[in-house]
């Protein structure tokens, strides 16, 4: 089973598209006609370019409004088809896609359509070409793959087959089990696309919002399982119409596409045989938690960060034996500050300034994690280690960061004892227990890419996107969390650089981790302890508390306690409760958060985000400078 992608899926001219597609590792490419028409080289030259990249043309498409026409349009359609057959032969491809007709003059009638295809099959056969029929979800008469299959079945010609496209089937919520009874060798190509679940016009949805399998909400894996059950062995080809992708980086969109296919194939082959030469890889990795977060800092920044951490009850727990690296600890939270003058931490600091450049994740098997990540196209990260230092497996994360993997069995979890010299016993100074979540910020157009990175490597699920209002623009926020919720990550996409999130991305030159949330066993005790230690909690608007009291019918005593401590509050319908407080901003817009979850609250206080951001913007002052 070969991998393929339609040229329409990525940006650039045909030359740039082909280079990016080849580099990403695809076997083939669908030539989308308009990409060819807009390009000023002969068909033979384009065919040569494709083959020079080691690619093959899996499909030429689309040919529109062919079947069911009255004369004279019918004869014209056959003439048009012959012209395109000429072109295909010059390009060097044998398969053409005909999508179901939307012509206002088409007559409908399943036998009429079948007869047209049978005649076209005869003509194609003379040239050794094949034609596949695809039901567009908005086709006038044929808009369901079951009907397209009936046309193909009745055409009864070896050079006429069916083309399945996951979008058209899934957008109409057609039962994918209906695919299982189609003979695999009658399916000429399978196109794959996902999409976010929107309630909108099918054509608009398809032409503007498709995305890579796994990036959207459609059950593309179920679709593919049904395809695999037919014995289909042809190419699986991405066909992604997406406005953002058209303007994005061809290389990274193509790389995401390839990653999405590997991820999909690997999922599908765990329950259905898939004829594919993909080496086995470990299944998605369960993350047991965040073992540490490491900041790169200069001396001055390190001191200020340390002061903030100490005011939150952390102690300076250990110092690295050979490096300028210290560990602040409280409960199970490990915050590492690296002020070294060499290596990746230092170069990261040079680019981003003070930044949480590395995250250590606790997993069951660190080596297997790297194995899966690299099979999915992630890059191994390696730095020379000194004598007595552990080689902690790592990969390059998204946004220039590094992800380290710590496990128990290979002894990596002893890194703190082996590489560090203990200074003070770990404190529970302010009742902080563990890292509840890590929040990463990026430009909105990178969100899908990051989402795919995390969900394809780790056993996680994603939540729906929520819009968060910043006084300077909208921020889109989405959660990726482990299946058992021990690992929680929030992704925040900024559109405007005037938002708190956008400014952070711009001013830290693309650093990713903007805030860390620590869980507290008792947030009121935390609030008291940290206040006594000089922590200046972010001041929340008094209006917020008045509304909270009214909206949730809070007891006045609770409202007063929240107000007094500047703690934000949320409650879910099952009575789960969430409490949040925030540090001042530091660095280029970093901050820390304390949260407490009660009664199984699973959210992130989304209704509060707007008021927290407004408070942070207020604290920054009109010019975006911290108010002293
Ligand atoms: O939007 C379209 O017209 C269109 C064309 C060709 C396809 O394969 C498809 O899925 C959609
Ligand atoms: Mg299609």
């Amino acid at each position: 089973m070969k991998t393929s992608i339609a040229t329409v899926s990525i940006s650039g001219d045909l030359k740039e598209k082909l280079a990016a597609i080849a580099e990403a590792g695809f076997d083939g490419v669908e030539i989308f006609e308009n990409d060819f028409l807009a390009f000023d080289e002969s068909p033979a030259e384009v065919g040569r370019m494709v083959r020079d990249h080691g690619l093959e043309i899996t499909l030429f498409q689309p040919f529109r409004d062919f079947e069911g026409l009255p004369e004279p349009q019918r004869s014209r359609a056959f003439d048009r088809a012959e012209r395109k057959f000429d072109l295909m032969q010059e390009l060097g491809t044998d398969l053409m896609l005909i999508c179901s007709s939307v012509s206002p003059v088409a007559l409908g009638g399943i036998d009429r359509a079948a007869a047209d295809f049978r005649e076209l099959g005869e003509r194609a056969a003379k040239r050794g070409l094949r034609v596949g029929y695809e039901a567009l979800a908005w086709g006038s008469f044929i808009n369901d793959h079951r009907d397209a299959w009936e046309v193909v079945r009745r055409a009864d010609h070896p050079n006429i087959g069916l083309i399945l496209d996951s979008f058209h089937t899934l957008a109409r919520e057609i039962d994918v089990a209906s695919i299982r009874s189609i003979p695999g060798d009658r399916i000429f190509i399978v196109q794959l696309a996902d999409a976010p679940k929107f309630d909108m016009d099918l054509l608009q949805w398809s032409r503007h919002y498709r995305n890579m399998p796994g990036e959207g909400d459609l059950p593309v894996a179920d679709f593919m399982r049904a395809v695999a059950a037919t014995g289909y062995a042809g190419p699986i080809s991405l066909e992604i119409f997406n406005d953002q992708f058209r303007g994005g980086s061809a290389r990274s969109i193509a790389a995401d596409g390839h990653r999405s296919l590997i991820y999909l194939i690997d999922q599908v082959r765990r329950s259905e045989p898939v004829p594919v030469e993909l080496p086995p890889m470990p299944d998605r990795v369960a993350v047991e938690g965040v073992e540490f977060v490491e900041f790169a800092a200069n001396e001055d920044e390190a001191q200020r960060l340390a002061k903030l951490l100490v005011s939150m009850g952390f102690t300076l727990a250990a110092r690295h034996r050979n490096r300028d690296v210290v560990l602040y600890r409280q409960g199970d939270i490990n915050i590492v500050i690296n002020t070294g003058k060499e290596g990746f931490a230092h170069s990261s600091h040079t680019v981003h300034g003070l930044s949480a450049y590395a995250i250590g994740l606790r997993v069951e098997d660190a080596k297997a994690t790297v194995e899966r990540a690299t099979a999915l196209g992630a890059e191994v990260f390696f730095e020379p280690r000194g004598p007595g230092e552990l080689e902690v497996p790592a990969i390059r994360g998204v946004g220039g960061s590094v992800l380290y993997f710590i496990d128990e069995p290979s002894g990596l979890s002893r890194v703190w004892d082996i590489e560090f010299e203990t200074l003070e016993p770990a404190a529970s100074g302010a009742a902080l227990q563990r890292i509840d979540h890590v929040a990463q910020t990026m430009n909105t157009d990178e969100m899908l890419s990051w989402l795919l990175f995390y969900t394809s490597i780790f056993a996680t699920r994603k939540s729906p996107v929520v819009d968060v209002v910043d006084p300077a623009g909208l921020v889109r926020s989405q959660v990726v969390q482990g299946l058992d919720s021990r690992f929680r990550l929030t992704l925040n996409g900024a559109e405007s650089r005037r938002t708190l999130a956008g400014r952070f991305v711009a001013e830290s030159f693309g650093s990713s981790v903007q805030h860390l949330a620590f869980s507290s066993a008792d947030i009121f005790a935390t609030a008291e302890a940290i206040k006594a230690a000089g922590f200046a909690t972010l001041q929340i608007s008094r209006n917020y508390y008045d509304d909270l009291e009214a909206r949730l019918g809070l007891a006045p005593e609770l409202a007063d306690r929240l107000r007094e401590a500047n703690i934000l509050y949320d409650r879910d319908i099952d009575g789960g409760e969430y409490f949040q407080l925030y540090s001042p901003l530091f660095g280029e817009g970093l901050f820390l958060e304390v949260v407490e979850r009660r009664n199984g609250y699973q959210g992130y206080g989304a209704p509060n985000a707007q008021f927290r951001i407004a408070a942070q913007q207020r604290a920054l002052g009109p010019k975006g400078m911290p108010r002293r």
Side-chain angles (χ1 to χ4, degrees), residues 30 32 59 61-64 97-99 134-138 163 165 167-168 191 203 206-207 210 239 241:
E30 292 181 13
F32 206 79
L59 178 70
Q61 75 136 333
F63 189 85
R64 300 182 190 272
L97 174 148
I98 294 185
C99 49
E134 174 194 61
L136 292 178
W138 55 91
I163 292 180
D165 178 324
F167 180 88
H168 299 299
Q191 297 181 315
L203 184 147
S206 175
R207 296 246 174 107
R210 289 186 181 206
E239 188 199 28
F241 306 93

Side-chain angles (χ1 to χ4, degrees), residues 292-400:
F292 69 88
V293 173
E294 180 165 337
F295 285 85
N298 63 27
E299 308 294 342
D300 188 42
E301 292 157 347
Q303 254 180 32
R304 274 184 283 163
L305 177 55
K307 194 168 158 220
L308 180 62
L309 291 171
V310 169
S311 76
M312 294 179 87
F314 286 79
T315 51
L316 175 56
R319 186 182 299 283
H320 199 279
R321 296 183 198 279
N322 317 323
R323 297 167 184 259
D324 293 325
V325 172
V326 289
L327 168 65
Y328 284 82
R329 180 177 273 171
Q330 179 173 187
D332 292 334
I333 310 168
N334 296 306
I335 303 293
V336 176
I337 306 179
N338 188 330
T339 49
K341 296 287 178 291
E342 51 198 33
F344 191 79
H346 184 64
S347 50
S348 190
H349 182 264
T350 308
V351 177
H352 305 295
L354 173 65
S355 61
Y357 84 100
I359 300 174
L361 299 179
R362 265 195 314 277
V363 294
E364 196 184 326
D365 181 343
K367 244 185 82 203
T369 307
V370 171
E371 206 181 303
R372 176 166 180 90
T374 49
L376 284 158
E379 208 183 307
V380 173
F381 174 79
F382 176 77
E383 269 195 317
R385 307 296 296 165
E389 294 180 347
L390 296 179
E391 244 175 56
V392 182
I395 60 171
R396 291 300 302 271
V398 276

Side-chain angles (χ1 to χ4, degrees), residues 76-350:
R76 278 280 305 126
F78 278 90
D79 291 346
R80 271 199 296 133
E82 293 281 2
R83 289 283 295 271
K84 296 305 166 188
F85 286 168
D86 296 341
L87 169 57
M88 286 166 63
Q89 289 183 307
E90 287 172 63
L91 280 168
T93 181
D94 76 333
L95 181 61
M96 177 162 85
L97 174 148
I98 294 185
C99 49
S100 56
S101 181
V102 295
S103 163
V105 298
L107 300 169
I110 207 144
D111 284 322
R112 187 194 318 265
D116 289 343
F117 275 105
R118 189 181 173 82
E119 185 176 335
L120 191 65
E122 281 299 295
R123 296 191 188 205
K126 286 201 185 101
R127 305 184 188 226
L129 301 179
R130 299 177 301 144
V131 173
Y133 184 41
E134 174 194 61
L136 292 178
W138 55 91
S140 308
F141 300 101
I142 302 291
N143 47 42
D144 182 319
H145 70 254
R146 292 168 295 194
D147 296 333
W149 165 235
E150 185 57 21
V151 170
V152 168
R153 208 181 60 78
R154 293 190 188 198
D156 191 22
H157 194 285
N159 295 57
I160 299 294
L162 180 68
I163 292 180
L164 292 171
D165 178 324
S166 63
F167 180 88
H168 299 299
T169 294
L170 298 174
R172 296 189 74 108
E173 299 184 10
I174 298 166
D175 187 355
V176 294
S178 60
I179 293 170
R180 290 178 181 254
S181 52
I182 302 170
D185 59 2
R186 304 301 297 133
I187 304 171
F188 281 180
I189 195 165
V190 172
Q191 297 181 315
L192 294 173
D194 202 338
K197 198 100 185 107
F198 290 149
D199 189 8
M200 68 183 290
D201 175 72
L202 290 169
L203 184 147
Q204 295 299 331
W205 189 18
S206 175
R207 296 246 174 107
H208 301 282
Y209 297 100
R210 289 186 181 206
N211 55 24
M212 304 299 176
E215 290 183 345
D217 303 320
L218 302 181
V220 183
D222 290 341
F223 173 91
M224 195 56 215
R225 282 186 194 99
V227 169
T230 68
Y232 172 76
I236 47 174
S237 190
L238 297 169
E239 188 199 28
I240 318 293
F241 306 93
N242 181 299
D243 299 350
Q244 221 169 10
F245 294 1
R246 285 180 193 273
S249 140
R251 288 175 61 181
S252 59
I253 302 292
D256 281 348
H258 198 255
R259 167 171 294 158
S260 78
L261 283 185
I262 307 269
Y263 172 32
L264 181 73
I265 292 169
D266 183 59
Q267 273 184 307
V268 170
R269 71 174 168 187
R270 288 171 195 277
S271 54
E272 293 283 352
V274 183
V276 66
E277 290 163 38
L278 180 67
M281 66 180 87
D283 204 348
R284 292 200 305 165
V285 175
V287 180
E288 295 162 5
V290 178
E291 174 71 18
F292 69 88
V293 173
E294 180 165 337
F295 285 85
N298 63 27
E299 308 294 342
D300 188 42
E301 292 157 347
Q303 254 180 32
R304 274 184 283 163
L305 177 55
K307 194 168 158 220
L308 180 62
L309 291 171
V310 169
S311 76
M312 294 179 87
F314 286 79
T315 51
L316 175 56
R319 186 182 299 283
H320 199 279
R321 296 183 198 279
N322 317 323
R323 297 167 184 259
D324 293 325
V325 172
V326 289
L327 168 65
Y328 284 82
R329 180 177 273 171
Q330 179 173 187
D332 292 334
I333 310 168
N334 296 306
I335 303 293
V336 176
I337 306 179
N338 188 330
T339 49
K341 296 287 178 291
E342 51 198 33
F344 191 79
H346 184 64
S347 50
S348 190
H349 182 264
T350 308

